[in-house]
Amino acid sequence: MLDWPFLTDVLGQLLSGLPLTLQLAALSLSIGFALAVFVAGAAGSAFAPLRWVAKAHVELFRGTPLLLQIFLIYYGLGQIAPLRHSALWPFLREPYWCAILALALNTSAYTAEIIRGAIQAVPAHEIEAGRACGMSGLLLRRRIIWPIALRQGLAVYGSEAILMIKATSLASIITLTELTGIAHKLISSTYRIFEIFIVTGAIYLALTFLMSAAFALLERQLQAHHAHRRA
């Protein structure tokens, strides 16, 4: 039999960590997307060193576990003496900013590949049609390439956003009391692992469902707007 009063109490305590989970996800996705735009642009640059740096960034953060990246940033950066005496140290010594940095760098690598793939998937005849109408440079990108790439890559980016929401649970290993961090504290005090993780999983499931529904709605609106413009 489920202990409903206990589950209700656990739910209330876990929800107190929800704002931190949402902050970590929102900030890491925002910073990661901004960085991914630069990485994707560098990957398509005619300047070879920029392409190498972009490729190294993508391979490094896609090819190593996020857990290892969090450990290296939180514990490893403190071993660099010049960094400890720099203006960045007040931020990098805080687990909150270390978690955001690790999450943002990780998602930037995946998002850069999503952006690159979406741009490459733009049909060549659409670009040629834009050029035939006298478009070039920024106008061509703004009117043709970027809108089509957005529709092409939105579903994939939605999956990446959902993965980042779940990845915030790793922040608990560096003492942050988000959802999973609070769950570990409750387990250490009550030893009721099953019930606590059931409620924790239900909250993550609700978050991912809402995120998936939001991206699906946005995708339908973009497709409807595109169909209306073509008509």
Side-chain angles (χ1 to χ4, degrees):
M1 296 292 294
L2 292 177
D3 187 349
W4 290 107
F6 175 75
L7 294 179
T8 303
D9 180 61
V10 166
L11 177 61
Q13 295 187 60
L14 287 173
L15 288 178
S16 67
L18 183 59
L20 180 55
T21 294
L22 296 177
Q23 283 179 31
L24 291 172
L27 282 174
S28 61
L29 285 169
S30 300
I31 297 171
F33 186 85
L35 181 58
V37 171
F38 286 104
V39 174
S45 172
F47 188 50
L50 272 181
R51 293 200 307 273
W52 299 336
V53 171
K55 184 176 181 179
H57 175 87
V58 170
E59 294 300 325
L60 175 63
F61 289 101
R62 289 205 314 165
T64 56
L66 176 57
L67 182 61
L68 177 62
Q69 295 165 21
I70 293 174
F71 278 141
L72 286 175
I73 290 174
Y74 183 62
Y75 296 108
L77 294 182
Q79 306 299 315
I80 304 174
L83 190 58
R84 291 200 305 270
H85 297 91
S86 70
L88 295 175
W89 184 241
F91 296 95
L92 295 178
R93 70 183 179 185
E94 298 293 334
Y96 178 80
W97 293 110
C98 287
I100 288 176
L101 178 60
L103 292 169
L105 289 173
N106 184 269
T107 191
S108 70
Y110 288 94
T111 305
E113 286 296 284
I114 293 172
I115 293 173
R116 186 180 64 85
I119 291 175
Q120 288 182 346
V122 176
H125 68 270
E126 296 276 2
I127 298 175
E128 292 301 323
R131 287 174 176 162
C133 294
M135 299 181 191
S136 63
L138 182 61
L139 182 62
L140 180 64
R141 289 175 173 82
R142 186 169 61 87
R143 292 284 185 86
I144 303 295
I145 298 176
W146 291 342
I148 296 176
L150 177 62
R151 293 194 301 272
Q152 299 275 15
L154 186 61
V156 184
Y157 185 69
S159 298
E160 173 61 17
I162 289 172
L163 288 174
M164 288 308 299
I165 289 178
K166 294 184 289 185
T168 59
S169 62
L170 295 176
S172 62
I173 63 174
I174 54 174
T175 72
L176 289 181
T177 52
E178 40 70 65
L179 281 173
T180 306
I182 293 176
H184 283 305
K185 288 187 175 182
L186 290 172
I187 288 171
S188 65
S189 61
T190 64
Y191 300 101
R192 300 178 70 166
I193 300 174
F194 180 76
E195 295 100 322
I196 293 171
F197 275 151
I198 283 291
V199 178
T200 306
I203 295 174
Y204 279 113
L205 182 62
L207 287 176
T208 56
F209 175 80
L210 291 174
M211 180 68 74
S212 178
F215 272 94
L217 178 61
L218 180 58
E219 189 175 3
R220 285 197 299 270
Q221 289 180 341
L222 287 175
Q223 294 293 350
H225 178 70
H226 176 63
H228 176 72
R229 289 190 63 184
R230 289 180 66 90

